[in-house]
Amino acid sequence: MSIVPEYVNRRRVLKALVGGAVGGMVGTLAATKLVHASSENTSSITATLPQLPKNISPEMLAKDESFWAQIALNYDKVQGIVNLEHGYWGKMSRQVQGVFIEKTQMVNTQLSVYGRRHFKDDLAHSTNRAAQALGAENEEVVLTRNATESIHNLMRQYNNFEANDTVLFADIDYPSFKDTMRWLAKTQNVEPVEVILPAQTDQSEILDIYVKAFDKHPNLKLMLLTHVSNQHGLILPVADIAKAAKARGIDIICDCAQSWGLLDFTIAELNVDWAGFNLHKWIGSPVGVGALYMKKGSLEKISPYPGEIDPNNTLVDKRVHTATSNFASILTVPAAIDFHESIGPANKEARLRYLRNLWVKEAKQLPNIEVLGGEDDASSTGMGAFRIKGKVSLDEAKMLQQRLENEFNVFTVVRVGLASGCCIRVTPQIFISAEEIKQLTLALKSL
């Protein structure tokens, strides 16, 4: 394939690249095709998105192994091990990967001519596409490198503290964010409070614990609230907690690093003013793309990034300064969202929860296995966690992870930070089959 270097041909080139790699993917499941040359197989592989069956619920479709086997053909999978650790970052489909490669070639050919003259418009297009998918307004979203960058900036640039204020976080929050909240408390001379959630819980109990913490700490000013815990996939009732918090004048920074794409929702449903997201986990973009959401009219309490100026507090992009990022990753965002939506966010959520329930149902019958996280569908996602009962130390968790990998060819990851101890996180993706989940359940029965 040739790349035309002249910037005057850029629009024609990009149109051809997207058209060739993505096909007619937007808004249809039947039209997308890709011929892919596998490194392990020199023959061409045609990956096709199947037609969605009519009049079938996401929950019923989640059990249709033939449908999801066709979906899996759109992804390259490593052989020889069952990878159940997809919470680190997601996998691009072959279609999205094709767009990413083409964008990389284009940027690498045109270099600063493209960057100086045209990237700003394409960045706006990708940002607006992300905002649209979130159900936000274009001016409320800025793309970042990851959710961590987004949320750290919100924490560090919060400017509404007074004497004797309190900040709150929970044991199920991302460890780096908990550390940053403690740092914030120290530097701002405010009190840090950590909420402890049970190892197994549900929506009602979670809400009750947070409300009691609010009432116990009347000077609470700022809280970190996780939508889906990276530790064990627990869903928090964010909208209900936010309602109770706002009634008490508590500001919320919402961590949606793991939830967007794992769950089907819009930002309005969460009832929060500020949130950070990843697109490279469950949305399926290239690595290095996140998003920061700030509701219109809520920017006054978050200062611009040091050195940036926003006198009217209306510009979300002044809250970050990512400098030079991966142009091609950002340019691929619309294709990643298109592919995600053409499968169906509700269908993905249901499939991932179904895969979790397959192994959880078996694990709960085993006397030596402790399953962590949500006790019902409202509190659980496709991401889950377990441990051997009574084995909660880091060394014991590492040993268990190694046994699963070396003895049973099942790859997982150790998670730390829960007050109840360490655990093994299990995170399938939509291209994982029920048969592969059985390999985990057989391992659990053998432990």
Side-chain angles (χ1 to χ4, degrees), residues 290-346:
L292 170 62
Y293 165 81
M294 299 184 72
K295 188 175 181 179
K296 188 181 295 185
S298 73
L299 278 65
E300 183 177 358
K301 296 177 184 177
I302 305 293
S303 299
Y305 189 87
E308 299 289 344
I309 299 174
D310 182 20
N312 297 320
N313 291 312
T314 58
L315 302 175
V316 177
D317 62 354
K318 295 300 183 182
R319 270 64 194 172
V320 297
H321 189 105
T322 56
T324 304
S325 300
N326 189 322
F327 294 103
S329 291
I330 293 170
L331 294 176
T332 308
V333 164
I337 294 175
D338 290 345
F339 190 87
H340 164 74
E341 291 183 344
S342 57
I343 296 174

Side-chain angles (χ1 to χ4, degrees), residues 139 222 335 368 418:
E139 326 61 274
L222 177 68
N368 64 326
L418 296 176

Side-chain angles (χ1 to χ4, degrees), residues 6 8 24 42 45 55-56 65 85 89 105 160 179 198 214 280 360-361 368 376 403 405:
E6 293 83 359
V8 294
T42 56
I45 301 173
N55 302 319
I56 184 171
E65 292 301 317
E85 202 319 67
W89 77 85
Q105 291 175 323
N160 199 41
D179 290 342
F214 297 164
H280 57 223
V360 165
K361 181 179 179 180
N368 64 326
D376 54 15
R403 286 196 62 192
E405 181 177 347

Side-chain angles (χ1 to χ4, degrees), residues 94-115:
R94 289 170 175 167
Q95 292 89 333
V96 174
Q97 179 178 268
V99 174
F100 177 55
I101 291 171
E102 301 288 6
K103 302 295 189 185
T104 300
Q105 291 175 323
M106 183 277 291
V107 171
N108 193 51
T109 299
Q110 299 189 26
L111 294 176
S112 57
V113 174
Y114 167 75

Side-chain angles (χ1 to χ4, degrees), residues 155 171 185 251 273 316 324 351 358 388 397 411:
M155 292 176 181
D171 70 313
D251 292 323
D273 292 342
V316 177
T324 304
R351 173 62 175 179
L358 286 179
I388 303 297
F411 190 73

Side-chain angles (χ1 to χ4, degrees), residues 191-255:
E191 179 187 1
V193 173
E194 182 174 10
V195 168
I196 306 299
L197 298 183
Q200 301 87 23
T201 186
D202 58 29
Q203 301 289 277
S204 178
E205 184 175 32
I206 297 169
L207 177 61
D208 184 60
I209 290 171
Y210 272 95
V211 171
K212 286 180 178 178
F214 297 164
D215 292 340
K216 184 178 180 180
H217 302 280
N219 291 335
L220 181 56
K221 179 63 67 69
L222 177 68
M223 67 178 294
L224 173 65
L225 182 58
T226 296
H227 190 193
V228 172
S229 173
N230 82 98
Q231 308 281 358
H232 47 21
L234 177 70
I235 302 174
L236 275 66
V238 169
D240 292 335
I241 295 172
K243 181 179 179 180
K246 288 183 175 182
R248 294 163 171 80
I250 303 168
D251 292 323
I252 301 166
I253 295 173
C254 190
D255 173 8

Side-chain angles (χ1 to χ4, degrees), residues 32-37 43-49 70 73-74 94-95:
T32 303
K33 293 186 177 181
L34 175 74
V35 177
H36 174 82
S43 63
S44 294
I45 301 173
T46 300
T48 306
L49 287 173
Q70 292 180 69
L73 293 175
N74 294 275
R94 289 170 175 167
Q95 292 89 333

